[in-house]
Amino acid sequence: MAGTTTDLERQLAELLEQERFEPPQAFVQDALIKDRSVHEEAERDPEGWWREQARALHWFSEPEQALDDSNPPFYTWFADGTLNASYNCLDRHVEAGLGDRVAFHWRGEEGEEREITYAWLLEQTQRAANALKDHGVGEGDVVGIFLPMIPEVVVAMLACARIGAPHNVVFGGFSAESVRERMEFSDAKALITVDGARRKGKVAAVKAAVDAVGMPVKTTIVVRHTGLEECPMGEGDVWWHEALEAADPECAPAQLGAEHPLFILYSSGSTAKPKGIQHTTGGYLTHVAWTHKHVFDLKPESDVYFCSADVGWITGHSYIVYGPLLNATTSVMYEGAPDYPHKGIWWELCERYGATIFYTAPTAIRACIKWGVEHVEKADLSRLRLLGTVGEPINPKAWLWYWKVVGGERCPVVDTWWQTETGGIMITTLPGAQAMKPGVAGTPLPGIAAAVLTEEGEEVPRGTQGLLSLSRPWPGMLRTLFGDDDRYVGTYWEKWGPETYLVGDASKQDDEDYVSVIGRVDDVLNVSGHRMSTAEIESAIVSHGKVAEAAVIGAADEDTGQSVAAFVTLEGDLQGSDELVAEIREHVAVRIGKLARPKRIIWADDLPKTRSGKIMRRLLKDIAEGRELGDVTTLRDPHVMAQLEGKIKERA
Ligand code: WT7
């Protein structure tokens, strides 16, 4: 192991010189893919190649067609095939004799353990599907899901999929107000939630909070998890366990067209209104099944896979639920926070369940670095053989620490680039086939095409920064924004036309086609790998009665990648104070969720604006990050900047 901290630091500093890491020989020997011939094969006929990969799924009727690009950017995949997601995740494995296989080693915050088998999931899913039907949910009806990391969240999603009711999962860290808004936007018929959620030894009364804002749904189904006595049940409220018990145990999977919507997932864009990213069935499942298997080099008989994300984000949808279950994987699912009950809990769980593959976010790795190697070294991680990251650029130092301290220099690290919109992983290295470059995600996966462009859509020379684009449709792509085709076209397909998808990230590509992703170029923030919109946070802050105006920016942050900084102008003569900081932070927590609370609030008498009245965020970013100010001559009132700079200095 790594020895003392100073030794480790010296070793990491040495490794920092190394730009390229070949996959370890021992890993390559047993890897599913050992060279780039799959990339080449797919490149010769991407559509035909994807159609082959779709055979990994069970189809009630096989698709003849792969891509239909007759109406860009409204692409479809495998449109003439029919299938069911829950059948593919459960029934076919149970029919193949895998009913007793553990799908999830579930660990509760207080140390409880549940072994969730494929047979149990299938039984519960059928009952839950019937329970939804019993309460008036039919094919095409949207169902909201607001649940913590408990096995029931998986059952709830698959039950929806079984009857063709698109699910709309809201991450448990969002506020009830955010849930209400998302239920309203998606016209949800029912909501599945919980009595209470545990967080670091405390219990939050979720159902009561949901009631307090009032949900625009007919039925609320409530999972009893914490056994909260004060869980209010009113008209239209049903206990999950009672509904499942009363339901018929058999529910035939609906035979759905491949383009039937599987789910919508709200994500932040550059306006205050979140975007309902809509994914369909056949293409999405093909994409996540292939990528989960090959990016993680999965051997379902022997691997134990642990993804530390929350089911409420796309990572959880694609790489905790659908991808792993399609591949009959045994996973670890943990209810709690990474530092509860102690800072070594992930590694303890890796040892306990024999995890071989671990997938997390760079921000978590940076937190682990801060907490110290001793928490990692306490556990026996010798079964780990592959590591992955997702959500934000990983700085080479964190990459190397992960590689050395967690992976013992024997586990390839896959840095996976993708988005809620892409459905699945798009750019990374195949671990047995490609060298790794710390801080550089990798190449487009087989079948995927990317290019780095200028604003005008010209390819930039290699090594030059530009805008990342995806130049060919792929099966897991979003199909539209829920109920808003115009916004779909306007957001992703207007800049360069309906054949070139605008990613929204700045990036560079090297001579070997490796893409490094630098960060967002729009008003989308990335805090700890969580996506948020400046406009959404601004609108929450401004809705506080004492606030006149607010501008939010993402300031570079060592721990969280970016952090939320808010420049706030108060009403009238009001003066900023610590109490008001707390009030505004709490206000944002209620409107959006704790994750969106500004880390810093800077009182501003006025905000820097152009003559046409547009807030100049670039300047605010310079201030918050302590940089020399650039050109301020286009400002309506250049003095504003001097005043703001003065404030920052006072604080420092
Ligand atoms: C944005 C998408 C994909 C699931 C989690 C985030 C950033 C994501 C990487 C990576 C650099 C990354 C991009 C992207 N991002 N993965 N490996 N390297 N940046 O999904 O919330 O839809 O956010 O996350 O900026 O556009 P999301």
Side-chain angles (χ1 to χ4, degrees), residues 166-187:
H167 51 72
N168 175 5
V169 180
V170 182
F171 168 58
F174 279 113
S175 67
E177 182 53 39
S178 282
V179 180
R180 192 198 54 71
E181 187 183 72
R182 285 155 204 237
M183 294 305 112
E184 188 184 302
F185 292 163
S186 66
D187 194 19

Side-chain angles (χ1 to χ4, degrees), residues 43-282:
E43 208 45 37
R44 283 193 289 272
D45 174 15
E47 263 186 64
W49 186 81
W50 279 119
R51 191 167 47 230
E52 275 309 303
Q53 309 322 312
R55 292 190 201 285
L57 303 178
H58 172 275
W59 297 84
F60 295 122
S61 59
E62 288 273 342
E64 296 279 316
Q65 198 184 2
L67 171 68
D68 180 347
D69 57 2
S70 58
N71 181 28
F74 298 95
Y75 299 98
T76 66
W77 285 85
F78 314 119
D80 59 337
T82 60
L83 76 171
N84 183 282
S86 81
Y87 184 89
N88 272 282
C89 289
L90 305 175
D91 304 59
R92 63 173 172 149
H93 303 321
V94 174
E95 284 163 19
L98 302 178
D100 291 337
R101 179 176 290 180
V102 173
F104 295 101
H105 295 291
W106 182 81
R107 171 71 84 99
E109 225 193 46
E110 300 306 329
E112 312 89 323
E113 294 183 306
R114 285 169 73 184
E115 301 282 277
I116 303 300
T117 64
Y118 278 88
W120 184 86
L121 280 177
L122 177 57
E123 195 256 337
Q124 291 284 299
T125 296
Q126 295 192 71
R127 285 181 177 276
N130 281 327
L132 286 169
K133 283 190 192 165
D134 292 345
H135 289 92
V137 176
E139 193 176 310
D141 290 341
V142 174
V143 175
I145 298 178
F146 187 48
L147 288 172
M149 286 290 284
I150 54 178
E152 285 72 15
V153 73
V154 180
V155 175
M157 290 164 77
L158 295 175
C160 290
R162 198 157 189 93
I163 62 172
H167 51 72
N168 175 5
V169 180
V170 182
F171 168 58
F174 279 113
S175 67
E177 182 53 39
S178 282
V179 180
R180 192 198 54 71
E181 187 183 72
R182 285 155 204 237
M183 294 305 112
E184 188 184 302
F185 292 163
S186 66
D187 194 19
K189 292 282 172 304
L191 173 67
I192 305 176
T193 187
V194 72
D195 54 351
R198 308 193 283 194
R199 196 67 182 166
K200 300 200 195 194
K202 292 201 197 108
V203 176
V206 177
K207 175 60 167 54
V210 159
D211 281 357
V213 298
M215 289 294 152
V217 294
K218 281 225 298 281
T219 309
T220 303
I221 305 180
V222 186
V223 178
R224 180 180 279 157
H225 176 50
T226 55
L228 269 184
E229 274 171 45
E230 69 272 27
C231 178
M233 296 292 280
E235 210 184 312
D237 294 344
V238 205
W239 284 110
W240 166 272
H241 58 274
E242 288 176 4
L244 263 65
E245 209 179 314
D248 197 317
E250 267 168 51
C251 176
Q255 305 203 2
L256 302 166
E259 284 296 324
H260 189 79
L262 178 60
F263 63 87
I264 38 186
L265 182 58
Y266 279 86
S267 182
S268 298
S270 48
T271 70
K273 191 176 176 191
K275 301 186 287 198
I277 291 168
Q278 185 167 318
H279 284 286
T280 59
T281 309

Side-chain angles (χ1 to χ4, degrees), residues 267 313-315 389-394 415-421 441 503-505 517 519-520 526 529-531:
S267 182
W313 303 104
I314 191 69
T315 307
T389 72
V390 59
E392 48 175 332
I394 181 162
D415 174 353
T416 64
W417 177 89
W418 56 296
Q419 308 179 295
T420 308
E421 289 88 340
V503 163
D505 283 354
V517 176
R520 302 287 311 189
N526 190 331
H530 295 162
R531 181 161 152 184

